[in-house]
Amino acid sequence: MVQNRTLKRLDQTQLDQAVRRHEMFRNARMGGARANLSFCDLSGLDLSGRDLAHADFVGAGLRGANLAGARLDCASFFVADLRQANFDGASLIKADLRGACLRGAILVGANLFEADLRDGSLAEKDRSGHLHMVQIDASPAEADGADLSGANLTNARMSGVMAIHTDFSDAVMRGCKLVRATMRGANFTGSNMEGADLSGADLRGACLRGAVLTGATMVMTDLTDADVEEALTDKPVGRVVAELGRSLEDLLADHMAWVGSSGAQGAMLDLSGFDLRHAPSLAHMCLTMLRAQGATLYGLDLSGVQLQAAVLDKSDLRGASLADGDLRGISLRHAKLNNANLRNVNLRPLVFDEQRSRPADLSGAKLRYADLSGACLRSVNLGNADLSFANLRGCDLARTDLTGAKLFGAKLERRALAEGAILDGVAGLKL
């Protein structure tokens, strides 16, 4: 037996009072109390930026509510109505979203690490002690999929979820459980599904273009009419390290000797077209003037590396760490650097003498969700690069060429652009 449950309507003032008491509770202050908003109608209300971790939203109606940037870790949204709700940039770590309706919800860049999005239904006892199913809203749900682009769904539990035409583009879904999930027509472009379990999932007509599927379990997965072009799987991309003829360690030693002797000894290393995913760590290595055009360096640890004047055009460095690296004068034209760690990298021009210098060239590079905080991007060519949702806080952007670049959702300060950055044709810039 299914019965409708009447929700208690709260206005913004009543909600603000409950949130203030919850925040006092979170800070162990006198008079605080955990927010119990179960079966409350909060549709259209504003909770943006508030701390509601561990709050109770069981069966609540939050249709069209604004929760952008809110802290909702370990909160319970069991069978809640979240249609068209805005969770942009919200933190939902370990949140309980079982049975919640997320159709049309915005979760761009949200953190759903280890969140539970499996199916769920709610039952309660009536006065006679009999169980009956509770239906929160009998009105028909919208067919539009939720927007989870760029969301962190690492280790999230989504087995059996209905996510038809949902946008998971650029989402991080490592270790995500998607057993028997229905995701027909969903968009997984550029998403990272490394180690995900897609057993028995329905992905008919889905777009997996450029997705990372290494280590993914795909037993009985239905990929009929799915677009898997440029998807990264366990199959090698191009040549493998074993084809180098000698150990990579020996070749790196020769390259360092070549660099140190200005070409008099050793030999320059050319790794163009090689798949280096299973290569030994290259962190803190001297790879000055390395050639690795079209190489696959996905997820590698290159922190502290020296790559001055190196040529890595069209290389795949998604998810790689180049933090604190010396990349002066590097060429990364049309390279894939989505979700890469580029904190504090030095990309200023490589100066040879008073008349000659070589600026870094990242024109056309894909840097969506990349972390460039604290990086020196002085005079770098970022023409037509995609820096959407990238972290550019604390960057030196003096004379940086951003002509035609995409900066939708990018995080940066207005003062960083005051030193002559070239912004002709920039799209999505909001300060």
Side-chain angles (χ1 to χ4, degrees):
M1 178 179 179
V2 178
Q3 294 185 6
N4 288 334
R5 175 68 180 258
T6 302
L7 302 184
K8 177 184 176 182
R9 177 62 185 176
L10 298 188
D11 59 27
Q12 189 66 52
T13 300
Q14 292 171 312
L15 179 58
D16 289 343
Q17 289 174 348
V19 174
R20 277 194 295 270
R21 292 187 68 193
H22 184 83
E23 289 175 337
M24 291 168 66
F25 162 76
R26 292 275 297 150
N27 290 299
R29 292 170 56 192
M30 291 288 291
R34 179 174 179 244
N36 183 356
L37 299 164
S38 60
F39 300 109
C40 287
D41 181 1
L42 310 173
S43 56
L45 299 184
D46 186 6
L47 289 164
S48 58
R50 305 304 293 267
D51 183 354
L52 281 158
H54 298 274
D56 184 355
F57 293 96
V58 172
L62 288 131
R63 187 168 184 169
N66 183 11
L67 298 102
R71 184 175 181 184
L72 300 159
D73 303 336
C74 300
S76 178
F77 290 94
F78 190 75
V79 299
D81 183 356
L82 306 175
R83 286 175 286 179
Q84 288 95 42
N86 181 10
F87 289 91
D88 191 356
S91 181
L92 290 145
I93 297 171
K94 296 185 178 180
D96 185 354
L97 291 151
R98 286 174 297 161
C101 182
L102 284 157
R103 290 177 183 169
I106 300 169
L107 293 111
V108 177
N111 188 354
L112 291 114
F113 178 81
E114 293 190 353
D116 194 343
L117 291 95
R118 293 174 293 173
D119 193 13
S121 55
L122 190 62
E124 65 179 7
K125 289 183 179 180
D126 57 23
R127 291 181 179 179
S128 62
H130 295 102
L131 282 174
H132 59 81
M133 303 306 294
V134 176
Q135 184 167 313
I136 307 303
D137 189 345
S139 63
E142 289 77 16
D144 296 334
D147 188 349
L148 286 136
S149 55
N152 180 9
L153 288 155
T154 302
N155 296 335
R157 289 173 286 178
M158 300 177 67
S159 294
V161 73
M162 292 284 292
I164 298 172
H165 298 298
T166 298
D167 189 356
F168 293 100
S169 57
D170 295 309
V172 179
M173 305 176 74
R174 291 191 186 99
C176 194
K177 301 298 182 185
L178 292 155
V179 178
R180 296 182 302 281
T182 302
M183 297 176 291
R184 294 192 300 274
N187 181 14
F188 293 94
T189 303
S191 62
N192 187 339
M193 304 172 78
E194 182 179 347
D197 190 348
L198 292 150
S199 302
D202 184 354
L203 289 166
R204 286 177 288 172
C207 182
L208 293 139
R209 183 182 292 262
V212 177
L213 294 165
T214 55
T217 303
M218 304 187 75
V219 179
M220 301 295 289
T221 303
D222 192 343
L223 291 165
T224 305
D225 297 324
D227 183 354
V228 295
E229 188 174 347
E230 297 183 1
L232 192 63
T233 64
D234 293 319
K235 183 179 178 180
V237 181
R239 303 171 69 189
V240 296
V241 174
E243 296 179 49
L244 287 168
R246 297 171 57 201
S247 71
L248 185 58
E249 291 86 347
D250 289 345
L251 293 169
L252 287 167
D254 280 356
H255 182 78
M256 285 186 280
W258 178 77
V259 172
S261 66
S262 299
Q265 299 176 15
M268 183 184 74
L269 183 56
D270 190 339
L271 295 171
S272 297
F274 276 87
D275 188 336
L276 301 167
R277 283 180 287 170
H278 303 294
S281 174
L282 298 173
H284 305 287
M285 297 291 290
C286 176
L287 299 174
T288 303
M289 298 185 72
L290 171 74
R291 297 189 67 84
Q293 293 174 280
T296 301
L297 299 137
Y298 164 80
L300 286 189
D301 182 6
L302 292 157
S303 52
V305 73
Q306 296 181 51
L307 279 166
Q308 306 95 325
V311 180
L312 284 85
D313 299 340
K314 297 183 179 179
S315 57
D316 188 346
L317 286 148
R318 287 176 293 172
S321 176
L322 294 103
D324 303 306
D326 187 347
L327 278 60
R328 287 174 295 161
I330 196 170
S331 182
L332 284 160
R333 292 182 300 144
H334 301 286
K336 298 175 184 176
L337 289 149
N338 296 340
N339 295 296
N341 179 0
L342 294 154
R343 289 196 297 269
N344 301 316
V345 294
N346 186 358
L347 280 157
R348 68 170 63 233
L350 181 62
V351 178
F352 301 110
D353 53 43
E354 292 183 1
Q355 284 79 37
R356 296 183 304 147
S357 65
R358 174 175 172 163
D361 189 352
L362 280 79
S363 56
K366 295 178 181 177
L367 291 141
R368 295 173 64 85
Y369 298 94
D371 186 355
L372 287 144
S373 55
C376 180
L377 303 177
R378 186 176 288 258
S379 300
V380 173
N381 181 5
L382 283 163
N384 298 310
D386 189 349
L387 290 147
S388 298
F389 307 101
N391 185 358
L392 295 162
R393 292 193 178 107
C395 284
D396 182 352
L397 294 168
R399 298 186 298 280
T400 303
D401 187 354
L402 290 159
T403 302
K406 296 178 182 176
L407 289 164
F408 295 98
K411 304 176 183 69
L412 74 165
E413 299 102 354
R414 181 184 296 274
R415 59 179 177 80
L417 302 173
E419 296 186 41
I422 303 169
L423 302 173
D424 296 340
V426 166
L429 180 61
K430 289 184 179 180
L431 295 173

